[in-house]
Amino acid sequence: MFKPAFAAVLVASCCSAAADTTEDTNLEHISIYANRTATPQQDVLASVTVLERDDIVARQANDLPALLAQLPGINLSRDGGRGQNSSVYIRGGNTGHTLVIIDGVRSGSATLGYKTLSMLPLELIERIEVVRGPRAAWYGSDALSGVIAITTRRSNTVELNANVGSDGQAGTDISLSHTVDQLTLRATAGASRADGYNVQPTQDPDRDGYNQKFVKVAADYQSALGLWSAQADVNSGFYQFDTDFGSEDEADTLSRAYLLGWQHQLGQWQHQAQLSRNLDSDATFGPDSRSPFVTERDEFNYQAATDITDALSFVGGVNWYQEQVDQSATAYEETSRINRAIFAGFNYQYSVLQLEAAIRRDLVNQYGGQNTWQLAAGYQLAEHWLIRASRGSAFKLPTFNELYYPGFANPDLQPQESISDEVALVYQGDVLTAELAWFDRDVTNLIQGVQQAENVLLATVQGMEFTVKQQWQQYGSQFTYTWLDTENRTSGKKLERRPENTVNWRGSYDADKWSAFVTADYQSATYQGVDWLTGEDRPYAPAHTLWGLGASYTVSQALTIRAKVDNLFDKNYYTSHGYATQGTNFGLSVSYTPQ
């Protein structure tokens, strides 16, 4: 086990050794979603990772879940390849304990209670911000363990991309932009597909592939009354998957999102408002059945921010959304839910001290009022050193499936609730940054169950994250270690598919026209839960280490070629019991930007 004392010594020694080297080569990242206002990442009193478009492209990940699994505090469990079920766990929380926000709007299926990320194309993503730790005081239900905030493409040029890879992978996309006076028009469109690989070799020996098409159109208009924006996203696809029974199934998916936005600086106040509609459709085709699920969410957001004094700032607003089950294979007892909320937060920063506080009240038509809060403090120990601490509450409403799906429903379920603590020591140097964070979370009324959903009395999660990033001249290195200790206090067992130890390392070299990287990802043996047929514990998934290589070459200012190899040594491993993972696989991509 990675001991706290050793971690602190390692942080101090690394930072001291690097403090007197070359000039700063780090680009400043801005956090937008941690506190609902644009804030330099180093000034946020939370664990935040920001990936801009260049970072996303440089990592050459196969899909969004694979990219997220490279970040601190995140574990991934897969029931196959791209398009098939992927569970993303932030700091040991369930998949539904992470709120996914796309362009500032809550996203995900009302029946499932979370956003499926495996069919969200990386080609459509401009920016990713991951906030680890509760954010319910800002965003309400679902943000128990963290927030994944995604900004879709906002290219200012013409860009064409094409890629091919193992198992019949192929894709292409194009982004366009045009500005006339105060009006800017943008569009991104693309398609991809793959034959896939055999997900369940012992039960259903076939390939499980997917195909997908997506398009986004957007417009921004700057007027004397503020910045007006409108956009529409459509993402449709088809994928094959295998169930625990070994049967072959297929699914058609469709997601549509429409957004109207407004921003305006009026005196000392910065106002913004959004009106959105999201539709999620998933129709599963089994051997003898068809199971459609269609849900919609209408949402309105308004917030205002101002600096009350030089040291004190304020953010407050209102949020309203309605979730609705429009179509399903079975009749739900309830098909609609309305949530109304008001929130406010303060930030105080004077000299070496920084304080934050936020509070929110949600009114849900089925559960009444839910209050959440967040407190944080930071103290600048020295020029490069910061210590911070925070505590926050959060909750998650039961999903429509958990409450009303026949054979699984439990209409007496209560919302899951949590209290989380975090203490972190941060070093921010010229060529090196490091962070050691300890976190602890108690979840009451945790919802679990195979035959029927039920509230578990108590579950606990505690752990540590240790991250070091270094950039010296042309050489870069990123190292992350995560330790997790989870327990279902009712059964005394660990929470399934959460490895105790995870290590991610990436080394890179950048030259004038080419760059290269090598990665190593380790995961310790992982508890796989109870077999629902026998009631016995499944075998632990064995520990494994995966290596990867990648390179890029700039042929000209307009043309760049990239190549990568994942699972370099063809490691045979799995992260979800009964499901195979991909062996050695390659990818080749080309980007063209006319000058």
Side-chain angles (χ1 to χ4, degrees):
M1 185 183 298
F2 197 76
K3 300 298 185 182
F6 175 67
V9 172
L10 183 56
V11 173
S13 61
C14 290
C15 296
S16 298
D20 297 325
T21 54
T22 61
E23 62 183 352
D24 185 8
T25 58
N26 294 319
L27 296 177
E28 181 180 69
H29 286 301
I30 301 297
S31 169
I32 299 173
Y33 292 96
N35 298 324
R36 299 186 73 109
T37 57
T39 307
Q41 185 175 340
Q42 65 268 21
D43 293 337
V44 177
L45 300 182
S47 297
V48 179
T49 300
V50 176
L51 297 179
E52 304 292 350
R53 180 64 189 172
D54 289 345
D55 304 318
I56 296 170
V57 172
R59 288 175 178 267
Q60 299 192 54
N62 283 336
D63 60 8
L64 179 56
L67 175 65
L68 294 172
Q70 301 174 14
L71 305 183
I74 299 181
N75 301 114
L76 175 65
S77 174
R78 308 199 74 141
D79 294 351
R82 181 167 171 176
Q84 296 162 64
N85 185 54
S86 299
S87 298
V88 176
Y89 308 107
I90 294 184
R91 288 187 170 178
N94 292 345
T95 299
H97 291 175
T98 297
L99 175 63
V100 177
I101 297 172
I102 300 180
D103 292 327
V105 176
R106 173 182 294 268
S107 181
S109 164
T111 51
L112 288 176
Y114 58 86
K115 176 69 175 179
T116 54
L117 300 175
S118 57
M119 287 291 278
L120 185 58
L122 284 173
E123 297 84 357
L124 197 58
I125 298 176
E126 184 75 23
R127 186 180 190 274
I128 301 172
E129 179 176 341
V130 179
V131 186
R132 300 183 297 282
R135 273 300 180 266
W138 289 115
Y139 297 104
S141 177
D142 301 354
L144 276 80
S145 60
V147 171
I148 298 173
I150 294 169
T151 303
T152 55
R153 289 299 305 275
R154 297 186 59 82
S155 177
N156 292 318
T157 61
V158 176
E159 183 180 338
L160 297 96
N161 299 285
N163 64 81
V164 295
S166 300
D167 298 319
Q169 170 71 40
T172 183
D173 65 272
I174 182 172
S175 293
L176 306 169
S177 177
H178 183 65
T179 299
V180 179
D181 296 327
Q182 304 301 314
L183 177 66
T184 299
L185 303 175
R186 295 185 178 89
T188 297
S192 62
R193 52 91 60 200
D195 296 327
Y197 63 94
N198 191 0
V199 173
Q200 285 195 335
T202 61
Q203 298 191 53
D204 190 15
D206 69 329
R207 287 175 175 260
D208 299 285
Y210 81 96
N211 61 59
Q212 182 177 39
K213 298 176 182 179
F214 55 89
V215 62
K216 171 189 173 177
V217 292
D220 294 332
Y221 180 73
Q222 183 67 58
S223 74
L225 297 177
L227 176 65
W228 302 84
S229 60
Q231 69 181 54
D233 300 273
V234 179
N235 181 12
S236 64
F238 162 86
Y239 64 92
Q240 299 169 315
F241 66 97
D242 293 336
T243 68
D244 288 337
F245 305 102
S247 62
E248 179 181 350
D249 289 86
E250 303 173 352
D252 287 332
T253 66
L254 172 65
S255 65
R256 297 198 300 260
Y258 308 99
L259 173 65
L260 294 174
W262 169 75
Q263 299 181 44
H264 187 45
Q265 184 77 36
L266 187 60
Q268 297 298 317
W269 290 85
Q270 206 281 328
H271 302 267
Q272 61 183 50
Q274 287 181 319
L275 181 64
S276 64
R277 163 163 284 196
N278 280 269
L279 178 145
D280 282 281
S281 174
D282 191 298
T284 300
F285 299 86
D288 303 306
S289 64
R290 182 178 186 271
S291 302
F293 291 91
V294 180
T295 64
E296 287 189 0
R297 180 181 294 105
D298 296 313
E299 183 172 6
F300 173 76
N301 282 293
Y302 167 79
Q303 75 173 47
T306 188
D307 291 330
I308 299 174
T309 68
D310 291 340
L312 181 64
S313 61
F314 167 82
V315 178
V318 296
N319 171 239
W320 173 94
Y321 63 88
Q322 175 176 302
E323 299 174 310
Q324 184 165 321
V325 180
D326 283 345
Q327 182 181 356
S328 70
T330 57
Y332 286 74
E333 182 179 340
E334 296 282 348
T335 59
S336 180
R337 181 161 64 197
I338 295 176
N339 192 102
R340 293 157 292 176
I342 184 170
F343 60 87
F346 295 88
N347 181 289
Y348 176 81
Q349 189 165 8
Y350 180 76
S351 185
V352 296
L353 178 65
Q354 184 177 356
L355 301 174
E356 291 179 358
I359 188 170
R360 175 175 170 129
R361 179 167 176 80
D362 288 79
L363 292 174
V364 189
N365 61 337
Q366 295 169 345
Y367 287 100
Q370 297 286 330
N371 299 321
T372 48
W373 51 269
Q374 184 116 13
L375 298 172
Y379 185 79
Q380 197 77 36
L381 297 171
E383 180 182 0
H384 299 291
W385 293 89
L386 171 74
I387 187 170
R388 57 178 169 80
S390 63
R391 165 167 272 216
S393 66
F395 74 101
K396 177 177 175 58
L397 297 172
T399 69
F400 282 88
N401 281 352
E402 292 165 341
L403 288 168
Y404 309 120
Y405 190 80
F408 185 72
N410 182 353
D412 297 325
L413 287 173
Q414 296 300 308
Q416 303 174 69
E417 299 179 345
S418 72
I419 296 291
S420 301
D421 297 298
E422 179 179 353
V423 178
L425 178 65
V426 182
Y427 176 86
Q428 188 79 32
D430 293 334
V431 298
L432 184 144
T433 61
E435 180 176 313
L436 176 64
W438 169 87
F439 55 89
D440 180 272
R441 182 169 66 256
D442 290 340
V443 183
T444 56
N445 292 328
L446 178 70
I447 296 178
Q448 291 190 332
V450 177
Q451 298 298 331
Q452 185 184 49
E454 60 181 0
N455 289 113
V456 175
L457 179 63
L458 178 66
T460 60
V461 177
Q462 61 176 330
M464 289 189 302
E465 294 167 2
F466 174 59
T467 303
V468 176
K469 296 181 182 181
Q470 184 176 8
Q471 185 69 45
W472 183 73
Q473 295 182 354
Q474 295 166 299
Y475 299 91
S477 178
Q478 298 181 27
F479 172 86
T480 298
Y481 169 81
T482 303
W483 169 71
L484 271 180
D485 182 19
T486 67
E487 184 182 358
N488 179 330
R489 288 293 180 89
T490 300
S491 65
K493 299 179 183 294
K494 291 183 176 294
L495 300 181
E496 62 184 60
R497 303 183 184 180
R498 278 78 152 181
E500 184 176 354
N501 300 284
T502 306
V503 176
N504 303 104
W505 174 76
R506 175 186 173 91
S508 61
Y509 178 83
D510 295 296
D512 290 337
K513 289 190 174 184
W514 66 276
S515 63
F517 67 84
V518 57
T519 61
D521 301 293
Y522 167 80
Q523 182 172 298
S524 62
T526 309
Y527 176 62
Q528 292 290 300
V530 176
D531 189 305
W532 67 276
L533 287 175
T534 65
E536 301 293 329
D537 284 346
R538 291 169 172 160
Y540 272 57
H544 60 268
T545 302
L546 304 177
W547 291 83
L549 294 173
S552 69
Y553 180 73
T554 302
V555 179
S556 66
Q557 287 186 337
L559 182 64
T560 301
I561 300 174
R562 299 178 180 88
K564 57 98 177 185
V565 179
D566 288 329
N567 197 358
L568 183 63
F569 300 109
D570 199 24
K571 183 71 174 180
N572 184 16
Y573 73 103
Y574 67 90
T575 56
S576 179
H577 180 78
Y579 290 91
T581 51
Q582 201 169 17
T584 300
N585 61 93
F586 76 92
L588 178 67
S589 63
V590 177
S591 297
Y592 179 72
T593 304
Q595 300 300 305

